[in-house]
Amino acid sequence: MARLVVVSNRLADPRKTAAGGLAVALADVLNNTGGLWFGWSGKLIETADGGVPGEGKMHTHQAGPVKLVTLDLSREDHDSFYVGYSNGVLWPVFHYRLDLADFDAGYITGYRRVNQLFARKLQPLLRDDDVIWIHDYHLIPLAAELRALGCSQRIGFFLHIPLPPPLILAAIPGHDWLIRALFAYDLVGFQSEADHGHFCRYVESEAHAHNLGDGRWRAFNRTVQAGAFPIGIDVEEFTGLAEAPEGREMYERMRREYSRRKLLVGVDRLDYSKGLPQRMRAFRELLQRYPENHGKATLIQIASPSREDVSAYTDILHELESLCGSINGNFGELDWMPVRYMHRTVARTRLPGLYRASRVALVTPLRDGMNLVAKEFIAAQDPQDPGVLVLSRFAGAAEQLREALLVNPYDIEATANAVHLALQMPVEERRIRHQGLLDTIRQYDVHWWCDTFLDTLAKAEAEESGTPWLRL
Ligand code: ADQ
């Protein structure tokens, strides 16, 4: 079996449970192949001048059979590559938020410089028969940079966030360069059929690529295969966490504390794509329209701090705080707080107990690649008395989780109605819906995702040896 090399912006120690499902799944394969995981250390070069752009300080760390190699970045590279281009341009545009994009011309130079740095540092560590799997929007041009250095290994790419329709993508200056870079891969994976469809429409209309059938496209002297590979969770690992002492204790505590209430739960990174203000407005609408929920429904919203160096994130934080405050001010009683809002990360081991104690989960992003919280909520439920998932139709997960109550998060009234329905739903219907959802997340779990992607990559038709990569 060929060695697997994973490249992602951030790494997790695959031996720690806190790392979560993706790290656990990748660790399985990496452990089997004695693999290598390469990425940014999350740290900046600590010199007074902030380091030289395009240079990185490398660290190597052995985690069992897996070698973790990380780079510290210069301050300037961090600001242009990470804050600027990745999170100031690609993240908003790929989530359909052109209004929030900051098309500063300098950012793309830093983005390219860091991808070249990654390629330069990674290339000497590679073996000829390695299989390379590159993750997410920070590293779109990495395969092209590796090809330019002569790498001919199989390289796959997985985009964790959505790909927007061609006309939205085309708003990015240099969009043609970005999409052309995808042709340096042998396989490109998306979260959903919708995203894959956008890719097909783009390469056909903007890049005049030839459709070779079976998901294969030819352009720029290269053939790339593309498809949808919806990411899943490690269902066994997550139900294990729910049964573990910390999971049980959290569940018991929540049940005791809220014995007279029906709990609703929201767990998100604090990000404008997650639709948090719209969710709060829908909850306020629920309390206005259906007073029978007064004194009974309590929404626990956990929003973990995220990218606080980008201004759009501070705006959303203030909006959310003000909405929560006004709901509690207008509807709260001495013995009932409608919303409990926490701006922090909750330990992964405590999430299953919180999910299991909740009657309803509100997963209502305005746009999301997949959304794993939806799947974790399902996995944590008691099948005899399960909670109801209220899910945005704009989350990638909605393509698979058809038994959820699907909502349009922009439609506040309809969302409030769906939440009311979820709170009232009889146990028989809850069980039937939950069983369907559980079957789906078991069948398409994170191991299925990993295996299917890597099998498809292994079988993707190899480019004729000696085909030159036309430099970007
Ligand atoms: P994220 O946008 O980070 O990921 P999501 O899939 O919802 O979104 O969550 C990833 C993990 O973070 C989950 O395991 C979840 O439990 C955890 N998490 C989220 N908020 C948390 C909180 N407040 N406290 C503790 N843990 C929290 C990106 C894409 C998604 C895609 C994933 C995986 O944006 O669409 O599903 O990658 O591909």
Side-chain angles (χ1 to χ4, degrees):
M1 195 179 184
R3 181 176 74 152
L4 178 64
V5 175
V6 173
V7 191
S8 55
N9 183 51
R10 296 299 300 274
L11 279 67
D13 186 329
R15 295 168 305 177
K16 297 188 179 150
T17 25
L22 177 60
V24 172
L26 289 173
D28 255 13
V29 199
L30 286 165
N31 282 330
N32 287 340
T33 64
L36 173 74
W37 196 343
F38 185 92
W40 175 38
S41 61
K43 297 198 186 105
L44 301 187
I45 293 173
E46 285 173 7
T47 53
D49 62 357
V52 179
E55 292 300 327
K57 189 163 172 240
M58 199 149 86
H59 307 273
T60 303
H61 172 72
Q62 197 69 35
V66 184
K67 189 187 263 188
L68 304 176
V69 180
T70 56
L71 285 178
D72 298 347
L73 292 181
S74 73
R75 192 170 307 134
E76 194 174 323
D77 281 348
H78 167 263
D79 291 351
S80 53
F81 155 77
Y82 182 71
V83 181
Y85 201 73
S86 298
N87 291 323
V89 178
L90 296 181
W91 178 273
V93 175
F94 280 33
H95 286 88
Y96 301 42
R97 294 298 302 269
L98 290 176
D99 57 320
L100 295 178
D102 176 10
F103 295 115
D104 183 311
Y107 294 157
I108 196 163
T109 316
Y111 181 71
R112 185 155 184 198
R113 190 168 60 228
V114 171
N115 273 274
Q116 284 169 340
L117 166 70
F118 268 42
R120 240 180 21 252
K121 295 286 183 183
L122 177 60
Q123 190 255 348
L125 307 176
L126 295 175
R127 301 175 192 156
D128 288 348
D129 63 344
D130 279 344
V131 170
I132 305 167
W133 191 2
I134 295 171
H135 290 259
D136 232 357
Y137 59 102
H138 316 86
L139 301 173
I140 293 172
L142 182 55
E145 299 299 349
L146 286 167
R147 300 273 183 235
L149 296 177
C151 294
S152 56
Q153 289 88 344
R154 265 169 203 263
I155 313 183
F157 176 76
F158 185 77
L159 185 68
H160 288 258
I161 65 175
L163 190 79
L167 272 182
I168 294 188
L169 200 55
I172 302 180
H175 59 96
D176 41 351
W177 169 79
L178 266 181
I179 299 299
R180 185 176 155 188
L182 288 176
F183 280 79
Y185 291 96
D186 298 293
L187 176 64
V188 173
F190 300 98
Q191 295 274 26
S192 67
E193 287 300 344
D195 300 330
H196 177 213
H198 295 154
F199 172 80
C200 296
R201 274 170 43 210
Y202 180 97
V203 296
E204 197 158 40
S205 62
E206 301 272 337
H208 308 295
H210 293 295
N211 187 348
L212 305 179
D214 298 328
R216 292 180 312 127
W217 294 91
R218 179 112 193 131
F220 314 115
N221 208 26
R222 295 261 324 169
T223 301
V224 67
Q225 185 165 341
F229 299 85
I231 194 169
I233 62 163
D234 188 331
V235 179
E236 302 311 320
E237 181 238 6
F238 209 77
T239 39
L241 286 178
E243 298 300 334
E246 208 173 330
R248 280 171 176 274
E249 190 203 304
M250 182 71 180
Y251 170 74
E252 298 296 343
R253 188 136 48 95
M254 297 306 287
R255 288 306 285 252
R256 260 197 320 273
E257 180 76 22
Y258 294 97
S259 56
R260 292 185 298 129
R261 323 264 188 231
K262 281 184 183 165
L263 276 188
L264 300 98
V265 69
V267 174
D268 307 80
R269 268 188 315 98
L270 184 62
D271 189 287
Y272 48 78
S273 66
K274 303 290 182 185
L276 293 166
Q278 287 80 357
R279 187 181 303 169
M280 286 304 153
R281 287 191 195 104
F283 186 64
R284 182 174 64 194
E285 183 71 18
L286 170 90
L287 299 177
Q288 255 153 11
R289 285 184 162 221
Y290 304 104
E292 59 267 45
N293 291 306
H294 290 196
K296 296 206 179 75
T298 297
L299 168 59
I300 298 190
Q301 176 62 56
I302 297 167
S304 55
S306 173
R307 302 177 198 157
E308 286 168 333
D309 35 9
V310 180
S311 64
Y313 288 74
T314 24
D315 294 347
I316 200 94
L317 173 69
H318 292 141
E319 190 178 0
L320 188 58
E321 281 174 353
S322 131
L323 276 164
C324 294
S326 82
I327 294 172
N328 283 338
N330 290 327
F331 294 95
E333 302 284 348
L334 284 174
D335 63 348
W336 172 59
M337 272 254 259
V339 183
R340 303 210 55 179
Y341 161 70
M342 276 153 281
H343 181 41
R344 77 175 74 113
T345 304
V346 168
R348 191 173 158 70
T349 45
R350 305 180 74 189
L351 285 177
L354 173 62
Y355 291 148
R356 202 177 174 107
S358 302
R359 174 55 65 85
V360 176
L362 300 181
V363 181
T364 53
L366 304 179
R367 198 78 191 102
D368 217 331
M370 176 55 60
N371 196 300
L372 295 181
V373 171
K375 297 187 172 182
E376 291 170 353
F377 176 77
I378 298 163
Q381 297 308 301
D382 171 0
Q384 293 312 311
D385 186 19
V388 181
L389 175 63
V390 175
L391 178 64
S392 162
R393 56 175 298 180
F394 305 124
E399 272 189 12
Q400 295 179 296
L401 304 179
R402 306 308 292 181
E403 293 89 351
L405 290 184
L406 295 184
V407 296
N408 166 8
Y410 294 97
D411 187 339
I412 304 296
E413 289 176 11
T415 305
N417 290 340
V419 176
H420 186 61
L421 196 69
L423 285 165
Q424 308 299 318
M425 192 179 283
V427 69
E428 297 75 27
E429 185 177 350
R430 284 191 276 126
R431 279 188 201 146
I432 294 169
R433 285 178 183 269
H434 176 255
Q435 192 55 56
L437 294 168
L438 190 60
D439 291 345
T440 304
I441 63 163
R442 273 194 201 289
Q443 185 176 353
Y444 300 103
D445 70 357
V446 76
H447 302 289
W448 171 89
W449 172 76
C450 225
D451 295 346
T452 313
F453 186 91
L454 290 173
D455 277 358
T456 314
L457 177 58
K459 290 183 192 130
E461 214 164 280
E463 201 59 52
E464 276 171 40
S465 64
T467 309
W469 169 249
L470 306 173
R471 227 197 128 79
L472 285 173

